[in-house]
Amino acid sequence: MSFTVLGALRSLDEPRHRAELYRAWNAGLAAGLTSHVVLDQMGPNAFPSIEETRRYLVVGAGQGKSITALVKARPKLFAPFEGAVLTAGDEGGTLNQSLRLLTDYFTGDFKRRLEVRNALGYPVFLGLVAAFGLPFVMLPKSPVKTYMTTIVILLGAFLLLGGVFISILASIFLNTNGLTRARFARVLASTLEAGLPLGRAVRLSVDASGNRGLKEHLKKRTERELATTPLAKLFEGCEEVSAGLIGQMMVADATGDYKGALSVYAADLEQRQK
């Protein structure tokens, strides 16, 4: 979490840079280049955490290490579901598909965060107005120098520490029930399409969703149930899974088209949250 206002707003850009990383990587592999060459030639990324990930992958791939080994050695550089999708693609020989899935996911995530950043413009504006306006309320009939000093202090405090408040607001906007359910459906579709076992995909998707109700529901299920129970039956009775999503799960269970069924549901849910 960034303490500064600009840092908090900038952190919302991370999914865009991550999507660009995976998009360029995928394009390079499709052109017949190795991961090491692609990652090295795409150049530095403007976002520090993404650049750290890229450099780590460049060095590791240059040493002949597999993507699976690299993800396992530095798991904190990747979201859990992200690392699992990369590992599945590397081990299954479908890295191109995994990179495409991650590109799609982070592109969608950035679009949602862009809307949140636009919404945060109002509280930022209020903070700036307060920094200029409060001294006139708190210090009536004070000398001009006192007013100016207080304004500078309040403005500095807001810009340097207000990022905590902005980050909390962003988290609230990004974790409404509707959006956490949509995130769950998207990650589930991506992990299953990448070839992860059902139980593993379900756990990663629930964790990525940030939805407490889903997490509580999953605690009641054993590993055997997660691995063998159809999705619709697995989440039967869960208040956080709507009848519409259960219906899409039933379609996905019957057809095997998890990405098609669940992604359509997620997109519709996200649209209704706007």
Side-chain angles (χ1 to χ4, degrees):
M1 179 184 294
S2 176
F3 284 95
T4 68
V5 170
L6 292 179
L9 294 175
R10 187 169 182 264
S11 67
L12 296 172
D13 282 337
E14 182 175 4
R16 173 171 69 88
H17 293 280
R18 201 163 287 273
E20 290 174 354
L21 172 71
Y22 289 127
R23 184 180 294 108
W25 188 357
N26 186 32
L29 290 184
L33 302 176
T34 64
S35 290
H36 173 259
V37 171
V38 175
L39 291 165
D40 188 39
Q41 290 188 354
M42 70 174 63
N45 191 286
F47 204 89
S49 62
I50 308 303
E51 175 58 14
E52 181 183 4
T53 301
R54 186 191 72 85
R55 289 303 311 165
Y56 169 69
L57 292 170
V58 168
V59 173
Q63 295 173 345
K65 296 180 181 178
S66 67
I67 301 301
T68 299
L70 293 174
V71 170
K72 185 176 181 179
R74 294 284 301 278
K76 291 186 178 181
L77 289 178
F78 312 89
F81 84 89
E82 179 186 3
V85 170
L86 287 172
T87 298
D90 184 48
E91 294 179 344
T94 56
L95 186 57
N96 272 106
Q97 178 182 337
S98 292
L99 295 175
R100 175 178 55 79
L101 291 172
L102 291 172
T103 299
D104 291 344
Y105 173 80
F106 285 113
T107 298
D109 191 33
F110 171 66
K111 291 179 180 178
R112 292 186 290 277
R113 288 172 183 261
L114 186 60
E115 294 172 358
V116 168
R117 188 171 64 183
N118 291 337
L120 289 173
Y122 184 64
V124 170
F125 173 74
L126 288 180
L128 294 174
V129 169
F132 283 95
L134 283 178
F136 294 97
V137 177
M138 298 168 58
L139 304 169
K141 299 181 181 181
S142 295
V144 173
K145 184 177 180 180
T146 302
Y147 281 126
M148 296 304 296
T149 301
T150 306
I151 288 173
V152 170
I153 292 174
L154 290 177
L155 186 60
F158 175 68
L159 293 177
L160 294 176
L161 301 175
V164 175
F165 174 67
I166 297 300
S167 296
I168 292 173
L169 279 181
S171 178
I172 292 172
F173 289 150
L174 288 168
N175 288 288
T176 62
N177 278 341
L179 287 180
T180 59
R181 292 167 184 167
R183 192 180 305 132
F184 163 69
R186 281 203 179 278
V187 175
L188 184 59
S190 297
T191 50
L192 287 174
E193 187 177 354
L196 269 67
L198 179 61
R200 175 70 170 152
V202 168
R203 283 207 179 278
L204 288 169
S205 304
V206 169
D207 288 342
S209 73
N211 187 298
R212 293 182 180 179
L214 288 172
K215 291 180 180 180
E216 287 299 320
H217 180 78
L218 209 62
K219 288 181 181 179
K220 305 172 185 177
R221 301 293 185 174
T222 65
E223 291 299 327
R224 180 167 164 46
E225 287 177 319
L226 290 178
T228 60
T229 309
L231 275 179
K233 188 171 181 59
L234 189 62
F235 287 97
E236 187 177 20
C238 178
E239 294 181 357
E240 293 298 327
V241 179
S242 66
L245 181 51
I246 289 291
Q248 293 295 333
M249 287 180 172
M250 292 176 67
V251 171
D253 287 331
T255 64
D257 182 16
Y258 290 99
K259 180 174 177 59
L262 298 177
S263 295
V264 167
Y265 172 83
D268 179 64
L269 195 54
E270 289 164 354
Q271 185 64 32
R272 280 185 275 142
Q273 296 301 305
K274 295 181 180 180

